Amino acid sequence: MLNIVLFGPPGAGKGTQSEKLIEQYNLTHISTGDLFRKHLSEGTELGKMARKFMDEGNLVPDKVVIGMVDEKIKSSSGVEGYIFDGFPRTVPQAVALDELLEGKGFPIAGMLALDVPEEELKTRILSRGKQSGRADDQSVEKIENRLRVYFDETVPVMEYYKKQGKYHPVHGVGTIDEIFQQLCSVIDSLEEHKA
Ligand code: ADP
C-alpha cells in the first residue's frame, strides 16, 4: 500500500496532478475540497454547514473534516493506496490522519509539496474561476484570504512532515507533464525505499 499526501497552496495544481497520479499508481483519491463540493451540490446537512466556511475561504472545522475523511476511508475496500489532496490542512488534521492510518498499518510514505509563487497562484485561481464558476475562485479578496489561511494554518503541516523525514518539495511551475515527471520520480524513490 502506498499512501501519499499531495500538498500545496490553493491553485498549486493538486487536483490536476492527482488525476494523473491516480492513474499511474492506481491510487484512491481523497480530496476534501471535492468531497465538500459534492455534499454542497447534494444539499446535505454537512454541505450546508461547510458552505459558509468555504465561500469565505476559511477552513471547515477540523472535527468535521476528520469525520468525513474517516468515513471515506472506512467505506473504501481493496484499495492499493490513497492520495490525500487538500488534506491535512492543519496540524491536528495531520495527527488525526496518522492515527487513522496507524489502525490500517500503512502510514503516509511521503508528503509531496508543490511550490508555486504567490502571484502565479492568484492568476491561476482567477482563470480557473472563470471556467468553473466556483464561488471561492471569483474575487481577489476571497483568494487572498485563502492564501492567508494557507500561510497561517496550513504551512505548519509542512514542518510536521519534515520532522518525520517525509517532506519532499517539488517545483510546481512548468508544464503539467514536467511537474508530473518530478512527482513520479519522488514517488518511485519512496517505493524503492519501501522495497
Ligand atoms: P483550494 O485548494 O483551491 O483552496 P479545495 O478544493 O481544496 O480548494 O478546498 C475548498 C475549500 O474547502 C477550502 O477553502 C475550505 O473552506 C474547505 N476545505 C477543503 N479541505 C479542507 C480541510 N482539509 N480542512 C478544512 N477545510 C477544508
Side-chain angles (χ1 to χ4, degrees):
M1 197 163 179
L2 173 77
N3 293 324
I4 58 176
V5 170
L6 187 59
F7 186 85
K14 299 186 294 290
T16 308
Q17 296 296 337
S18 288
E19 271 177 38
K20 295 173 72 73
L21 292 169
I22 289 161
E23 211 174 302
Q24 178 83 8
Y25 296 98
N26 234 330
L27 301 173
T28 297
H29 192 203
I30 299 195
S31 157
T32 44
D34 286 354
L35 290 172
F36 281 128
R37 278 186 289 278
K38 187 158 182 281
H39 277 279
L40 231 100
S41 70
E42 290 169 355
T44 67
E45 283 308 311
L46 195 146
K48 284 179 201 155
M49 199 283 268
R51 165 166 253 143
K52 60 178 190 296
F53 296 99
M54 296 176 72
D55 281 353
E56 294 306 316
N58 292 321
L59 295 183
V60 177
D62 284 341
K63 213 170 156 236
V64 178
V65 185
I66 294 163
M68 183 175 74
V69 171
D70 186 22
E71 199 176 297
K72 182 78 191 167
I73 292 178
K74 283 190 178 134
S75 66
S76 53
S77 61
V79 169
E80 290 190 30
Y82 294 100
I83 179 164
F84 296 93
D85 161 4
F87 177 88
R89 244 176 167 96
T90 64
V91 172
Q93 289 181 19
V95 172
L97 180 60
D98 276 350
E99 284 168 7
L100 290 178
L101 294 176
E102 208 170 278
K104 293 201 160 254
F106 289 99
I108 292 294
M111 178 228 231
L112 284 70
L114 289 170
D115 191 11
V116 178
E118 201 172 330
E119 277 315 306
E120 169 82 12
L121 297 171
K122 287 186 206 165
T123 314
R124 286 190 192 176
I125 299 172
L126 280 171
S127 88
R128 175 173 74 186
K130 287 196 188 115
Q131 285 146 24
S132 71
R134 259 176 68 170
D136 57 347
D137 281 352
Q138 303 297 324
S139 83
V140 175
E141 287 101 274
K142 284 182 186 178
I143 295 169
E144 283 178 346
N145 187 46
R146 271 154 72 203
L147 290 170
R148 220 172 8 249
V149 168
Y150 170 77
F151 289 113
D152 291 348
E153 300 181 54
T154 305
V155 164
V157 174
M158 257 192 249
E159 205 51 45
Y160 179 85
Y161 286 100
K162 257 184 213 166
K163 278 192 200 135
Q164 297 188 358
K166 293 179 180 173
Y167 167 74
H168 304 276
V170 170
H171 187 53
V173 183
T175 67
I176 291 175
D177 273 319
E178 277 164 4
I179 300 163
F180 176 63
Q181 290 311 325
Q182 290 194 56
L183 291 169
C184 289
S185 65
V186 174
I187 295 176
D188 293 343
S189 73
L190 295 175
E191 289 209 295
E192 274 164 30
H193 202 67
K194 204 174 63 180

